[in-house]
Amino acid sequence: MVDGPETHSAKRDDESKEKGKFIVERDYIEPTRIVEPSSLTAEGVDISGRWGTIVLPRTINEFDTSIYERVKRLPGGSHIANCWQCGNCSAICPVAHEHPEFNPRYLIHIVKMGYTSEIERLKDSVYLCSGCGLCSSVCPRGVDPQHVMIALSLAFHAKGVL
Amino acid sequence: MSSEDSVLIVGGGPAGLRAAVDLAEMGFNVVLVERRAELGGAPIRWKYHTLAPDMRPTEEVMSPLIDACKSNQRIKVYTSSVASSFSGSPGEFSVEVKGADGSSSTHRVGAIIVATGFEHFDARVDPRYAYGRAPDVIGINELEGMLRSGKIVRHDGSTPRRIGFVFCVGSRDRSTNPWCCTVCCGVSIKQAIELRRLLPDSQIYMIYMDIRTWGLWEKLYWDSMEKYGINYIRGRVGEVYYTGEKLLVKGEDTLVRGPIEVLFDMLVLAVGMEPGEGTRQAARVFGLNLNEYGFLKPRQPNIHFDSGVGGVFLAGACVAPMSIEEALEEGSAAAMQAAKVLIRSSKQRVPI
Ligand SMILES: Cc1cc2nc3c(=O)[nH]c(=O)nc-3n(C[C@H](O)[C@H](O)[C@H](O)COP(=O)(O)OP(=O)(O)OC[C@H]3O[C@@H](n4cnc5c(N)ncnc54)[C@H](O)[C@@H]3O)c2cc1C
Ligand code: SF4
Ligand code: SF4
Ligand code: SF4
């Protein structure tokens, strides 16, 4: 059997199930949000391992507009503000139909809203764009998503995200 | 004044004023009864700064009508008054008008127009928005007054930087009012544009379920994004907390399927329109039907002016939520129907 993504994540799950084992209703929390420091002391007390466990919030709690501001100033991104999330671009995008990570509408949204953790998670997907330009031909608001994808990659670089 | 050339109009908002002016200009006499001390209806009461969709100053639309009602010899205005009883038949009604000061007068009229308008939804009814408990949570009606003064300030006098609009407050919700108020999307967007003009450093987020800028009002929506960089979050607000400094708004951005908890300096609630006590009072006096929501119920839904009571016509936001442009047209339409009754009944009496 090929070692595909499913077997990978199964393995990862086994390891991470150890983390935060003692938390009541532990199943509600994705393993990636549970942090157990391997060595940590606070005021001279060793709080490594389960004693120092923290659960990262899954809530978006800030709109960080810095990448958005940069994208707007780049030639390809100058019309990004017009996007109203209709999804015409993703509906016609040949890559989005094949690749679960790539969605031009969604990339535009998380950049406009400044959702940094989502940007961090999906930043590499911007390179999956084939540059075919179909999206720009159907966008009703003249956003030109094809060139927005280029502007996004430039902005991610400049911000050190990529 | 004989009954066959007079119309009694209840409500001095856009619809009632338009009807009064049209009838007077056609040569009929009008008795205009307004419950409040001033004419003008909601736009004057709440000091609307400009009107959607074109941002025309409210005075440009309302003042000519109000002035005409005050100066036209054919229009007799009774403010701080209500119609208290009614009898007779089309062409010869008798209506008693009572003033808040105890005064009373009886009028013989041929037709009646009811244009009692709406009230704003009281956002205290839905506790999740902290309206009335937290500072800096205001309604779109209150923001109009601030825009007029040109001073957008928080409770402590500071200038808000991040401002959120919450759409559909008290609308489209079974636990409050299930209907759509039809104008609060456009009005909120108009206000957001005005805020960006006044406060160019502000960040504005519109938290919405659907944007309903029908017809040509859609341009407001486009301009808000394309020219003013206003941001839209599709989703609802679950809770608002005052942290002692800012407003913590909890909600969901449904486009990322995730919860958000973001601090805002000011929150503006797009409170909807609902039928008020004035409409219920008029319904009792004139024997009018109310629909399941408490609006006046026309005999059939696509002909608003026909109340089902002969000689009594309906106009404006007492029938359904609507814009000023629609309320004005309904006023004209009701005036036309009233004129028909007057002309018919005068012909019966004085055969030509
Ligand atoms: C915050 C807000 C902003 C808005 N801004 C816009 C805008 O920019 N553009 C736009 O097109 N529309 C706007 N609207 C909608 C607009 O306010 C209405 O379309 C309009 O006021 C309806 O006019 P009307 O005459 O039917 O009712 P009203 O304006 O409500 O007038 C009714 C009048 O009747 C009186 N009355 C009530 N009961 C009685 C009674 N029993 N006896 C005697 N008198 C009575 C009331 O005191 C009132 O003066 C806005 C609405 C809201 C909620
Ligand atoms: S240009 Fe890129 S984003 Fe647009 S349709 Fe083609 S692959 Fe998709
Ligand atoms: S088609 Fe245009 S407006 Fe629609 S989501 Fe894509 S970029 Fe945005
Ligand atoms: S007009 Fe807009 S804000 Fe008002 S109830 Fe309808 S959808 Fe909601």
Side-chain angles (χ1 to χ4, degrees), chain B residues 119-122 125-126 168-181 271-275 292-295 321:
Chain B
E119 293 290 335
H120 290 282
F121 172 75
D122 180 354
V125 172
D126 194 337
C168 303
V169 171
S171 301
R172 306 176 66 205
D173 185 336
R174 278 230 164 78
S175 57
T176 52
N177 294 327
W179 58 85
C180 165
C181 97
V271 286
M273 296 157 93
E274 60 186 19
E292 58 187 312
Y293 304 138
F295 289 100

PDB file of all heavy atoms in Angstrom, chain B residues 119-122 125-126 168-181 271-275 292-295 321:
ATOM      1  N   GLU B 119     -42.152  52.106  13.466  1.00  0.00           N
ATOM      2  CA  GLU B 119     -41.234  52.437  14.570  1.00  0.00           C
ATOM      3  C   GLU B 119     -39.962  51.623  14.356  1.00  0.00           C
ATOM      4  O   GLU B 119     -39.981  50.572  13.725  1.00  0.00           O
ATOM      5  CB  GLU B 119     -41.843  52.053  15.928  1.00  0.00           C
ATOM      6  CG  GLU B 119     -43.061  52.863  16.314  1.00  0.00           C
ATOM      7  CD  GLU B 119     -42.745  54.316  16.658  1.00  0.00           C
ATOM      8  OE1 GLU B 119     -41.594  54.599  17.062  1.00  0.00           O
ATOM      9  OE2 GLU B 119     -43.642  55.164  16.511  1.00  0.00           O
ATOM     10  N   HIS B 120     -38.852  52.095  14.950  1.00  0.00           N
ATOM     11  CA  HIS B 120     -37.620  51.312  14.897  1.00  0.00           C
ATOM     12  C   HIS B 120     -37.709  50.160  15.881  1.00  0.00           C
ATOM     13  O   HIS B 120     -38.267  50.311  16.962  1.00  0.00           O
ATOM     14  CB  HIS B 120     -36.417  52.174  15.277  1.00  0.00           C
ATOM     15  CG  HIS B 120     -36.093  53.191  14.247  1.00  0.00           C
ATOM     16  ND1 HIS B 120     -35.439  52.874  13.096  1.00  0.00           N
ATOM     17  CD2 HIS B 120     -36.355  54.499  14.185  1.00  0.00           C
ATOM     18  CE1 HIS B 120     -35.304  53.969  12.363  1.00  0.00           C
ATOM     19  NE2 HIS B 120     -35.860  54.964  12.996  1.00  0.00           N
ATOM     20  N   PHE B 121     -37.132  49.019  15.504  1.00  0.00           N
ATOM     21  CA  PHE B 121     -37.023  47.898  16.432  1.00  0.00           C
ATOM     22  C   PHE B 121     -36.157  48.349  17.611  1.00  0.00           C
ATOM     23  O   PHE B 121     -35.116  48.983  17.431  1.00  0.00           O
ATOM     24  CB  PHE B 121     -36.365  46.711  15.719  1.00  0.00           C
ATOM     25  CG  PHE B 121     -36.030  45.575  16.635  1.00  0.00           C
ATOM     26  CD1 PHE B 121     -37.037  44.746  17.109  1.00  0.00           C
ATOM     27  CD2 PHE B 121     -34.725  45.348  17.041  1.00  0.00           C
ATOM     28  CE1 PHE B 121     -36.731  43.697  17.967  1.00  0.00           C
ATOM     29  CE2 PHE B 121     -34.407  44.300  17.891  1.00  0.00           C
ATOM     30  CZ  PHE B 121     -35.422  43.471  18.360  1.00  0.00           C
ATOM     31  N   ASP B 122     -36.605  48.025  18.816  1.00  0.00           N
ATOM     32  CA  ASP B 122     -35.835  48.379  20.011  1.00  0.00           C
ATOM     33  C   ASP B 122     -34.813  47.268  20.283  1.00  0.00           C
ATOM     34  O   ASP B 122     -35.183  46.156  20.687  1.00  0.00           O
ATOM     35  CB  ASP B 122     -36.793  48.523  21.197  1.00  0.00           C
ATOM     36  CG  ASP B 122     -36.055  48.904  22.483  1.00  0.00           C
ATOM     37  OD1 ASP B 122     -34.799  48.934  22.469  1.00  0.00           O
ATOM     38  OD2 ASP B 122     -36.731  49.164  23.486  1.00  0.00           O
ATOM     39  N   VAL B 125     -34.455  44.467  23.071  1.00  0.00           N
ATOM     40  CA  VAL B 125     -35.251  43.236  23.090  1.00  0.00           C
ATOM     41  C   VAL B 125     -34.371  42.015  22.815  1.00  0.00           C
ATOM     42  O   VAL B 125     -34.617  40.924  23.315  1.00  0.00           O
ATOM     43  CB  VAL B 125     -36.389  43.343  22.037  1.00  0.00           C
ATOM     44  CG1 VAL B 125     -37.118  42.024  21.872  1.00  0.00           C
ATOM     45  CG2 VAL B 125     -37.360  44.454  22.434  1.00  0.00           C
ATOM     46  N   ASP B 126     -33.324  42.184  22.014  1.00  0.00           N
ATOM     47  CA  ASP B 126     -32.421  41.073  21.695  1.00  0.00           C
ATOM     48  C   ASP B 126     -31.105  41.296  22.442  1.00  0.00           C
ATOM     49  O   ASP B 126     -30.267  42.075  22.010  1.00  0.00           O
ATOM     50  CB  ASP B 126     -32.183  41.028  20.177  1.00  0.00           C
ATOM     51  CG  ASP B 126     -31.548  39.720  19.761  1.00  0.00           C
ATOM     52  OD1 ASP B 126     -30.921  39.069  20.622  1.00  0.00           O
ATOM     53  OD2 ASP B 126     -31.664  39.350  18.583  1.00  0.00           O
ATOM     54  N   CYS B 168     -29.466  43.219  10.004  1.00  0.00           N
ATOM     55  CA  CYS B 168     -30.634  42.395  10.377  1.00  0.00           C
ATOM     56  C   CYS B 168     -30.847  42.320  11.891  1.00  0.00           C
ATOM     57  O   CYS B 168     -31.160  41.265  12.423  1.00  0.00           O
ATOM     58  CB  CYS B 168     -30.516  40.975   9.827  1.00  0.00           C
ATOM     59  SG  CYS B 168     -30.311  40.868   8.059  1.00  0.00           S
ATOM     60  N   VAL B 169     -30.680  43.427  12.592  1.00  0.00           N
ATOM     61  CA  VAL B 169     -30.946  43.412  14.041  1.00  0.00           C
ATOM     62  C   VAL B 169     -32.455  43.563  14.242  1.00  0.00           C
ATOM     63  O   VAL B 169     -33.043  44.576  13.872  1.00  0.00           O
ATOM     64  CB  VAL B 169     -30.157  44.514  14.765  1.00  0.00           C
ATOM     65  CG1 VAL B 169     -30.615  44.636  16.219  1.00  0.00           C
ATOM     66  CG2 VAL B 169     -28.663  44.207  14.693  1.00  0.00           C
ATOM     67  N   GLY B 170     -33.060  42.522  14.797  1.00  0.00           N
ATOM     68  CA  GLY B 170     -34.517  42.534  14.973  1.00  0.00           C
ATOM     69  C   GLY B 170     -35.267  42.260  13.683  1.00  0.00           C
ATOM     70  O   GLY B 170     -36.456  42.524  13.590  1.00  0.00           O
ATOM     71  N   SER B 171     -34.571  41.759  12.666  1.00  0.00           N
ATOM     72  CA  SER B 171     -35.232  41.414  11.409  1.00  0.00           C
ATOM     73  C   SER B 171     -34.829  40.001  11.008  1.00  0.00           C
ATOM     74  O   SER B 171     -33.767  39.518  11.399  1.00  0.00           O
ATOM     75  CB  SER B 171     -34.807  42.349  10.273  1.00  0.00           C
ATOM     76  OG  SER B 171     -35.115  43.682  10.576  1.00  0.00           O
ATOM     77  N   ARG B 172     -35.688  39.366  10.210  1.00  0.00           N
ATOM     78  CA  ARG B 172     -35.391  38.060   9.639  1.00  0.00           C
ATOM     79  C   ARG B 172     -35.014  37.050  10.727  1.00  0.00           C
ATOM     80  O   ARG B 172     -34.049  36.295  10.605  1.00  0.00           O
ATOM     81  CB  ARG B 172     -34.271  38.183   8.606  1.00  0.00           C
ATOM     82  CG  ARG B 172     -34.576  39.235   7.539  1.00  0.00           C
ATOM     83  CD  ARG B 172     -33.437  39.424   6.576  1.00  0.00           C
ATOM     84  NE  ARG B 172     -33.230  38.232   5.782  1.00  0.00           N
ATOM     85  CZ  ARG B 172     -32.072  37.899   5.220  1.00  0.00           C
ATOM     86  NH1 ARG B 172     -31.037  38.667   5.373  1.00  0.00           N
ATOM     87  NH2 ARG B 172     -31.964  36.807   4.527  1.00  0.00           N
ATOM     88  N   ASP B 173     -35.788  37.070  11.803  1.00  0.00           N
ATOM     89  CA  ASP B 173     -35.470  36.224  12.948  1.00  0.00           C
ATOM     90  C   ASP B 173     -36.799  35.889  13.630  1.00  0.00           C
ATOM     91  O   ASP B 173     -37.525  36.802  14.029  1.00  0.00           O
ATOM     92  CB  ASP B 173     -34.542  37.007  13.893  1.00  0.00           C
ATOM     93  CG  ASP B 173     -34.061  36.160  15.055  1.00  0.00           C
ATOM     94  OD1 ASP B 173     -34.731  35.184  15.411  1.00  0.00           O
ATOM     95  OD2 ASP B 173     -32.996  36.500  15.606  1.00  0.00           O
ATOM     96  N   ARG B 174     -37.102  34.594  13.764  1.00  0.00           N
ATOM     97  CA  ARG B 174     -38.385  34.202  14.341  1.00  0.00           C
ATOM     98  C   ARG B 174     -38.559  34.706  15.770  1.00  0.00           C
ATOM     99  O   ARG B 174     -39.670  34.917  16.226  1.00  0.00           O
ATOM    100  CB  ARG B 174     -38.520  32.676  14.342  1.00  0.00           C
ATOM    101  CG  ARG B 174     -38.969  32.147  13.021  1.00  0.00           C
ATOM    102  CD  ARG B 174     -40.152  31.189  13.191  1.00  0.00           C
ATOM    103  NE  ARG B 174     -40.790  30.994  11.905  1.00  0.00           N
ATOM    104  CZ  ARG B 174     -40.293  30.191  10.961  1.00  0.00           C
ATOM    105  NH1 ARG B 174     -39.187  29.517  11.165  1.00  0.00           N
ATOM    106  NH2 ARG B 174     -40.912  30.094   9.809  1.00  0.00           N
ATOM    107  N   SER B 175     -37.445  34.874  16.495  1.00  0.00           N
ATOM    108  CA  SER B 175     -37.599  35.273  17.897  1.00  0.00           C
ATOM    109  C   SER B 175     -37.863  36.775  18.018  1.00  0.00           C
ATOM    110  O   SER B 175     -38.254  37.243  19.078  1.00  0.00           O
ATOM    111  CB  SER B 175     -36.372  34.879  18.706  1.00  0.00           C
ATOM    112  OG  SER B 175     -35.229  35.459  18.150  1.00  0.00           O
ATOM    113  N   THR B 176     -37.664  37.537  16.965  1.00  0.00           N
ATOM    114  CA  THR B 176     -38.013  38.962  16.993  1.00  0.00           C
ATOM    115  C   THR B 176     -39.001  39.228  15.852  1.00  0.00           C
ATOM    116  O   THR B 176     -40.163  38.934  15.994  1.00  0.00           O
ATOM    117  CB  THR B 176     -36.757  39.856  16.917  1.00  0.00           C
ATOM    118  OG1 THR B 176     -35.952  39.458  15.805  1.00  0.00           O
ATOM    119  CG2 THR B 176     -35.933  39.758  18.196  1.00  0.00           C
ATOM    120  N   ASN B 177     -38.523  39.746  14.732  1.00  0.00           N
ATOM    121  CA  ASN B 177     -39.413  39.985  13.593  1.00  0.00           C
ATOM    122  C   ASN B 177     -38.948  39.187  12.380  1.00  0.00           C
ATOM    123  O   ASN B 177     -37.790  39.311  11.977  1.00  0.00           O
ATOM    124  CB  ASN B 177     -39.418  41.474  13.226  1.00  0.00           C
ATOM    125  CG  ASN B 177     -40.026  42.324  14.328  1.00  0.00           C
ATOM    126  OD1 ASN B 177     -40.931  41.884  15.030  1.00  0.00           O
ATOM    127  ND2 ASN B 177     -39.523  43.528  14.487  1.00  0.00           N
ATOM    128  N   PRO B 178     -39.816  38.407  11.779  1.00  0.00           N
ATOM    129  CA  PRO B 178     -39.361  37.552  10.686  1.00  0.00           C
ATOM    130  C   PRO B 178     -39.205  38.231   9.322  1.00  0.00           C
ATOM    131  O   PRO B 178     -38.669  37.633   8.405  1.00  0.00           O
ATOM    132  CB  PRO B 178     -40.443  36.466  10.621  1.00  0.00           C
ATOM    133  CG  PRO B 178     -41.649  37.078  11.225  1.00  0.00           C
ATOM    134  CD  PRO B 178     -41.186  38.090  12.219  1.00  0.00           C
ATOM    135  N   TRP B 179     -39.644  39.486   9.184  1.00  0.00           N
ATOM    136  CA  TRP B 179     -39.563  40.099   7.854  1.00  0.00           C
ATOM    137  C   TRP B 179     -38.233  40.826   7.657  1.00  0.00           C
ATOM    138  O   TRP B 179     -37.470  41.029   8.598  1.00  0.00           O
ATOM    139  CB  TRP B 179     -40.720  41.079   7.650  1.00  0.00           C
ATOM    140  CG  TRP B 179     -40.790  42.180   8.663  1.00  0.00           C
ATOM    141  CD1 TRP B 179     -40.121  43.363   8.641  1.00  0.00           C
ATOM    142  CD2 TRP B 179     -41.570  42.172   9.872  1.00  0.00           C
ATOM    143  NE1 TRP B 179     -40.440  44.098   9.754  1.00  0.00           N
ATOM    144  CE2 TRP B 179     -41.323  43.400  10.532  1.00  0.00           C
ATOM    145  CE3 TRP B 179     -42.445  41.249  10.457  1.00  0.00           C
ATOM    146  CZ2 TRP B 179     -41.920  43.730  11.754  1.00  0.00           C
ATOM    147  CZ3 TRP B 179     -43.034  41.587  11.663  1.00  0.00           C
ATOM    148  CH2 TRP B 179     -42.770  42.812  12.298  1.00  0.00           C
ATOM    149  N   CYS B 180     -37.997  41.209   6.386  1.00  0.00           N
ATOM    150  CA  CYS B 180     -36.807  41.996   6.026  1.00  0.00           C
ATOM    151  C   CYS B 180     -37.238  43.449   5.932  1.00  0.00           C
ATOM    152  O   CYS B 180     -38.269  43.756   5.340  1.00  0.00           O
ATOM    153  CB  CYS B 180     -36.272  41.512   4.679  1.00  0.00           C
ATOM    154  SG  CYS B 180     -35.079  42.627   3.899  1.00  0.00           S
ATOM    155  N   CYS B 181     -36.445  44.357   6.515  1.00  0.00           N
ATOM    156  CA  CYS B 181     -36.902  45.748   6.547  1.00  0.00           C
ATOM    157  C   CYS B 181     -36.610  46.483   5.233  1.00  0.00           C
ATOM    158  O   CYS B 181     -37.016  47.621   5.062  1.00  0.00           O
ATOM    159  CB  CYS B 181     -36.351  46.472   7.751  1.00  0.00           C
ATOM    160  SG  CYS B 181     -34.901  47.420   7.410  1.00  0.00           S
ATOM    161  N   VAL B 271     -30.999  48.375  12.909  1.00  0.00           N
ATOM    162  CA  VAL B 271     -32.293  48.001  13.492  1.00  0.00           C
ATOM    163  C   VAL B 271     -33.387  48.123  12.434  1.00  0.00           C
ATOM    164  O   VAL B 271     -33.402  49.053  11.634  1.00  0.00           O
ATOM    165  CB  VAL B 271     -32.657  48.883  14.704  1.00  0.00           C
ATOM    166  CG1 VAL B 271     -31.810  48.509  15.903  1.00  0.00           C
ATOM    167  CG2 VAL B 271     -32.511  50.367  14.399  1.00  0.00           C
ATOM    168  N   GLY B 272     -34.284  47.180  12.463  1.00  0.00           N
ATOM    169  CA  GLY B 272     -35.319  47.114  11.451  1.00  0.00           C
ATOM    170  C   GLY B 272     -36.510  48.012  11.744  1.00  0.00           C
ATOM    171  O   GLY B 272     -36.490  48.835  12.660  1.00  0.00           O
ATOM    172  N   MET B 273     -37.527  47.852  10.916  1.00  0.00           N
ATOM    173  CA  MET B 273     -38.753  48.642  11.045  1.00  0.00           C
ATOM    174  C   MET B 273     -39.868  47.721  11.501  1.00  0.00           C
ATOM    175  O   MET B 273     -39.973  46.595  11.025  1.00  0.00           O
ATOM    176  CB  MET B 273     -39.125  49.228   9.677  1.00  0.00           C
ATOM    177  CG  MET B 273     -38.102  50.207   9.143  1.00  0.00           C
ATOM    178  SD  MET B 273     -38.204  50.348   7.347  1.00  0.00           S
ATOM    179  CE  MET B 273     -39.287  51.728   7.180  1.00  0.00           C
ATOM    180  N   GLU B 274     -40.713  48.211  12.398  1.00  0.00           N
ATOM    181  CA  GLU B 274     -41.869  47.425  12.814  1.00  0.00           C
ATOM    182  C   GLU B 274     -43.070  48.338  12.994  1.00  0.00           C
ATOM    183  O   GLU B 274     -42.910  49.547  13.149  1.00  0.00           O
ATOM    184  CB  GLU B 274     -41.556  46.626  14.084  1.00  0.00           C
ATOM    185  CG  GLU B 274     -41.165  47.473  15.271  1.00  0.00           C
ATOM    186  CD  GLU B 274     -40.720  46.646  16.480  1.00  0.00           C
ATOM    187  OE1 GLU B 274     -40.377  45.463  16.317  1.00  0.00           O
ATOM    188  OE2 GLU B 274     -40.741  47.199  17.586  1.00  0.00           O
ATOM    189  N   PRO B 275     -44.270  47.753  12.963  1.00  0.00           N
ATOM    190  CA  PRO B 275     -45.455  48.592  13.136  1.00  0.00           C
ATOM    191  C   PRO B 275     -45.492  49.151  14.555  1.00  0.00           C
ATOM    192  O   PRO B 275     -45.100  48.462  15.498  1.00  0.00           O
ATOM    193  CB  PRO B 275     -46.622  47.624  12.913  1.00  0.00           C
ATOM    194  CG  PRO B 275     -46.041  46.297  12.589  1.00  0.00           C
ATOM    195  CD  PRO B 275     -44.592  46.320  12.809  1.00  0.00           C
ATOM    196  N   GLU B 292     -50.486  39.256  10.015  1.00  0.00           N
ATOM    197  CA  GLU B 292     -49.906  38.463  11.108  1.00  0.00           C
ATOM    198  C   GLU B 292     -48.761  39.199  11.820  1.00  0.00           C
ATOM    199  O   GLU B 292     -48.407  38.875  12.941  1.00  0.00           O
ATOM    200  CB  GLU B 292     -49.413  37.123  10.572  1.00  0.00           C
ATOM    201  CG  GLU B 292     -48.371  37.307   9.467  1.00  0.00           C
ATOM    202  CD  GLU B 292     -47.965  36.005   8.789  1.00  0.00           C
ATOM    203  OE1 GLU B 292     -47.662  35.036   9.511  1.00  0.00           O
ATOM    204  OE2 GLU B 292     -47.937  35.972   7.547  1.00  0.00           O
ATOM    205  N   TYR B 293     -48.173  40.183  11.149  1.00  0.00           N
ATOM    206  CA  TYR B 293     -47.036  40.891  11.737  1.00  0.00           C
ATOM    207  C   TYR B 293     -47.443  42.195  12.416  1.00  0.00           C
ATOM    208  O   TYR B 293     -46.635  42.851  13.061  1.00  0.00           O
ATOM    209  CB  TYR B 293     -46.004  41.228  10.654  1.00  0.00           C
ATOM    210  CG  TYR B 293     -45.510  40.036   9.874  1.00  0.00           C
ATOM    211  CD1 TYR B 293     -45.351  40.106   8.495  1.00  0.00           C
ATOM    212  CD2 TYR B 293     -45.176  38.850  10.526  1.00  0.00           C
ATOM    213  CE1 TYR B 293     -44.882  39.021   7.773  1.00  0.00           C
ATOM    214  CE2 TYR B 293     -44.710  37.757   9.813  1.00  0.00           C
ATOM    215  CZ  TYR B 293     -44.570  37.847   8.439  1.00  0.00           C
ATOM    216  OH  TYR B 293     -44.105  36.782   7.737  1.00  0.00           O
ATOM    217  N   GLY B 294     -48.677  42.616  12.205  1.00  0.00           N
ATOM    218  CA  GLY B 294     -49.126  43.865  12.825  1.00  0.00           C
ATOM    219  C   GLY B 294     -49.093  45.061  11.887  1.00  0.00           C
ATOM    220  O   GLY B 294     -49.409  46.174  12.282  1.00  0.00           O
ATOM    221  N   PHE B 295     -48.697  44.842  10.615  1.00  0.00           N
ATOM    222  CA  PHE B 295     -48.820  45.916   9.628  1.00  0.00           C
ATOM    223  C   PHE B 295     -50.280  45.979   9.165  1.00  0.00           C
ATOM    224  O   PHE B 295     -51.011  44.985   9.283  1.00  0.00           O
ATOM    225  CB  PHE B 295     -47.927  45.644   8.408  1.00  0.00           C
ATOM    226  CG  PHE B 295     -46.454  45.803   8.679  1.00  0.00           C
ATOM    227  CD1 PHE B 295     -45.640  44.696   8.925  1.00  0.00           C
ATOM    228  CD2 PHE B 295     -45.869  47.065   8.688  1.00  0.00           C
ATOM    229  CE1 PHE B 295     -44.279  44.845   9.181  1.00  0.00           C
ATOM    230  CE2 PHE B 295     -44.513  47.220   8.935  1.00  0.00           C
ATOM    231  CZ  PHE B 295     -43.719  46.109   9.189  1.00  0.00           C
ATOM    232  N   PRO B 321     -42.501  47.410   5.344  1.00  0.00           N
ATOM    233  CA  PRO B 321     -41.284  48.220   5.356  1.00  0.00           C
ATOM    234  C   PRO B 321     -40.994  48.731   3.950  1.00  0.00           C
ATOM    235  O   PRO B 321     -41.180  47.991   2.978  1.00  0.00           O
ATOM    236  CB  PRO B 321     -40.198  47.235   5.797  1.00  0.00           C
ATOM    237  CG  PRO B 321     -40.924  46.111   6.433  1.00  0.00           C
ATOM    238  CD  PRO B 321     -42.253  46.026   5.751  1.00  0.00           C
TER     239      PRO B 321
END
